[in-house]
Amino acid sequence: MNVLFLTMARIGSLDDRGVYTDLLRKFFEEGHNVYVVTPMERRENKKTNIIKEKGGVILNIQTLNIQKTNIIEKGIGTLAIEYQFLRGIKKYLSDVEFDLITYSTPPITFSKVISYIKNRDNAYSYLMLKDIFPQNAIDMKMLKEGSLLHKFFLKKERKLYEVSDAIGCMSEANKIFLLTHNPNIALKKVEVNPNSISPLELFQAKEENNIIKKKYGLPLNKKIFVYGGNLGKPQGVDFLLETITATKRKDVFFLVIGSGTEYNRIKKWFETQQPKNAMMMKGLPKDDYEFLLRACDVGMLFLHRDFTIPNFPSRLLSYLEIKLPVLAATDPNTDVGSVIEKAKCGYWILSGDQKEMQNAINKFCDDEENYLQMKENAWKLLVTEFHVDRSYQLIKKRLENV
């Protein structure tokens, strides 16, 4: 079977680890031919090219800058990418007949590419719904509800759902939200197909952890609560800063690692406030980041309290894989907190509730036996609910039933 994957994410190699590459490797391991179309932003100064690897073929499409750039270039780039992908596929993959075309959101602007492949090859189309746009932009007040731009994107969103033979949602709350707000979508074409990876259990001795802590200037005798990932408006980072200020325990230390639109503002806050119980670091190379993460004690998730859409951060899987208990501070609509608490591998609180945040921090620190059990529960949750085999089997079953 020939599998085509369209993504806005930059995929440099199919050997990389992640929710998309792990799934694509699973397809390859099961005997399928894998083709990936991924953007190569103009800042890389490279032209459209095709790379053949052991695990498949990567078509790098030259695009405008669509990540970490000004809103005008990002907007134009996002609208143009559909035509750039279509042109690249016609030029470089014209001799390949695809059986399956799968893709993720963002963006919602791939419907013409999907329709072309479906009509040309009679391919089956599977949407992995990772983001519900444009509602997320409305929630964050990045888009005015009812505006011409909002209506334009709504039309694009509906077209994407229409052209998809199946839609895999990240969680049950995602599925309910999608069907509630899009009653025209047939129930039978929607399922829960969560973020998933190929888990790799790694052990890092206490001595190694201490070496890493010394390298980065972290305390050796405190419980380190780490937030790693995007630092943007959707994360509601103000509550993270409020938590640092409000936490008076001497045995707790916060580590903030990442980049994003709010990075400079947070960095300025650290420079001004100079908190004694926290440190901020710029995003690290992947290997260095993972070693540092394994030296920490609790992983933190933050989502803005104004979200009406049920986000489900893939960052959760990074924490679970290294057996980090999780503290999630989110809006009331996502079910990531209930998943964590049901699995007994962490605690959930409503973003903005500082009293409950402090209660949760105390629980992590005051009951070591429970904390150690949460570490084991974190791994158990990952391998039972978020293993790549599950995602692969769900897609495979859809194809078998066509």
Side-chain angles (χ1 to χ4, degrees):
M1 181 171 70
N2 292 326
V3 180
L4 177 64
F5 176 59
L6 309 177
T7 180
M8 183 79 97
R10 183 74 176 105
I11 294 182
S13 171
L14 289 166
D15 290 329
D16 294 341
R17 299 190 68 227
V19 293
Y20 301 135
T21 47
D22 283 13
L23 179 58
L24 294 170
R25 274 199 307 278
K26 178 65 178 177
F27 272 100
F28 172 74
E29 290 164 2
E30 293 294 328
H32 305 296
N33 303 311
V34 174
Y35 297 81
V36 178
V37 184
T38 181
M40 184 172 59
E41 296 177 295
R42 70 180 180 91
R43 64 169 62 93
E44 294 186 46
N45 293 316
K46 295 178 181 178
K47 292 188 176 182
T48 295
N49 63 78
I50 195 163
I51 298 173
K52 295 182 179 180
E53 296 186 338
K54 176 186 175 183
V57 174
I58 300 176
L59 174 56
N60 297 297
I61 302 289
Q62 185 184 39
T63 67
L64 295 174
N65 293 326
I66 48 181
Q67 306 288 343
K68 299 176 183 177
T69 187
N70 65 77
I71 193 167
I72 295 176
E73 183 173 19
K74 182 182 180 73
I76 295 173
T78 301
L79 293 174
I81 196 170
E82 179 174 42
Y83 300 96
Q84 293 167 329
F85 271 36
L86 188 55
R87 186 166 61 245
I89 290 169
K90 287 180 178 179
K91 181 176 180 180
Y92 293 91
L93 301 176
S94 61
D95 59 338
V96 184
E97 186 173 320
F98 295 104
D99 304 284
L100 169 67
I101 176 171
T102 183
Y103 39 95
S104 61
T105 53
I108 58 169
T109 54
F110 279 161
S111 56
K112 283 186 173 63
V113 186
I114 299 159
S115 294
Y116 172 76
I117 297 297
K118 287 186 69 174
N119 292 332
R120 189 191 73 175
D121 301 339
N122 195 30
Y124 189 85
S125 57
Y126 193 103
L127 166 61
M128 293 184 284
L129 192 68
K130 305 298 185 185
D131 192 20
I132 298 176
F133 183 87
Q135 186 56 48
N136 62 348
I138 296 294
D139 290 347
M140 293 295 96
K141 297 178 173 56
M142 296 175 180
L143 201 61
K144 186 178 179 181
E145 188 167 10
S147 65
L148 287 175
L149 198 55
H150 179 218
K151 291 176 181 176
F152 170 78
F153 283 124
L154 279 176
K155 186 177 179 181
K156 286 285 186 181
E157 181 190 25
R158 286 193 292 268
K159 183 62 177 175
L160 184 69
Y161 297 155
E162 182 183 312
V163 77
S164 301
D165 293 316
I167 301 174
C169 300
M170 292 186 293
S171 70
E172 189 63 32
N174 266 249
K175 178 181 174 181
I176 293 170
F177 183 95
L178 179 69
L179 291 169
T180 301
H181 291 82
N182 298 273
N184 57 308
I185 298 178
L187 176 61
K188 63 182 180 180
K189 73 187 279 183
V190 183
E191 65 187 359
V192 175
N193 190 339
N195 294 321
S196 62
I197 60 172
S198 297
L200 183 61
E201 190 171 16
L202 296 171
F203 176 74
Q204 196 162 281
K206 184 177 180 180
E207 293 75 16
E208 294 176 281
N209 288 341
N210 286 341
I211 291 172
I212 292 169
K213 288 178 181 179
K214 288 177 182 178
K215 176 181 177 180
Y216 292 103
L218 295 168
L220 302 181
N221 59 346
K222 297 184 179 182
K223 216 170 213 65
I224 298 177
F225 287 69
V226 60
Y227 174 81
N230 188 42
L231 297 168
K233 190 174 181 180
Q235 284 67 47
V237 290
D238 285 335
F239 187 55
L240 168 60
L241 304 183
E242 291 168 14
T243 299
I244 292 171
T245 301
T247 304
K248 305 304 180 184
R249 292 187 67 125
K250 302 299 183 184
D251 57 348
V252 168
F253 193 86
F254 296 96
L255 174 61
V256 181
I257 316 172
S259 60
T261 56
E262 298 288 281
Y263 175 83
N264 289 332
R265 184 170 71 85
I266 299 170
K267 182 182 178 184
K268 186 175 181 180
W269 183 90
F270 268 82
E271 291 170 348
T272 302
Q273 300 297 322
Q274 296 187 345
K276 297 291 191 291
N277 64 338
M279 175 189 295
M280 183 182 187
M281 297 172 58
K282 188 80 171 176
L284 296 170
K286 188 173 178 63
D287 288 345
D288 292 342
Y289 172 73
E290 290 181 352
F291 279 119
L292 177 55
L293 208 59
R294 286 197 287 271
C296 298
D297 301 291
V298 178
M300 305 183 78
L301 295 175
F302 286 86
L303 286 173
H304 200 288
R305 72 190 77 180
D306 291 342
F307 269 124
T308 63
I309 61 168
N311 291 289
F312 204 99
S314 61
R315 182 63 50 189
L316 171 66
L317 277 58
S318 300
Y319 295 152
L320 299 181
E321 187 175 33
I322 55 174
K323 299 184 178 181
L324 278 190
V326 182
L327 175 53
T330 76
D331 59 273
N333 297 297
T334 178
D335 52 353
V336 66
S338 61
V339 169
I340 291 166
E341 293 205 325
K342 184 179 179 181
K344 297 182 179 179
C345 64
Y347 301 108
W348 171 80
I349 62 106
L350 184 65
S351 181
D353 190 336
Q354 193 57 242
K355 181 179 178 181
E356 285 304 309
M357 173 61 92
Q358 293 304 314
N359 286 339
I361 290 172
N362 291 337
K363 285 188 280 189
F364 278 114
C365 298
D366 293 339
D367 190 340
E368 187 65 14
E369 184 179 346
N370 184 52
Y371 169 77
L372 293 175
Q373 185 58 55
M374 284 193 290
K375 288 175 69 68
E376 296 306 314
N377 292 343
W379 175 258
K380 183 179 178 182
L381 174 62
L382 177 66
V383 297
T384 55
E385 297 295 330
F386 304 111
H387 198 291
V388 73
D389 286 354
R390 179 182 176 189
S391 292
Y392 172 78
Q393 291 298 334
L394 285 168
I395 298 173
K396 179 185 175 186
K397 186 176 180 180
R398 286 277 174 175
L399 287 164
E400 290 173 346
N401 292 333
V402 173

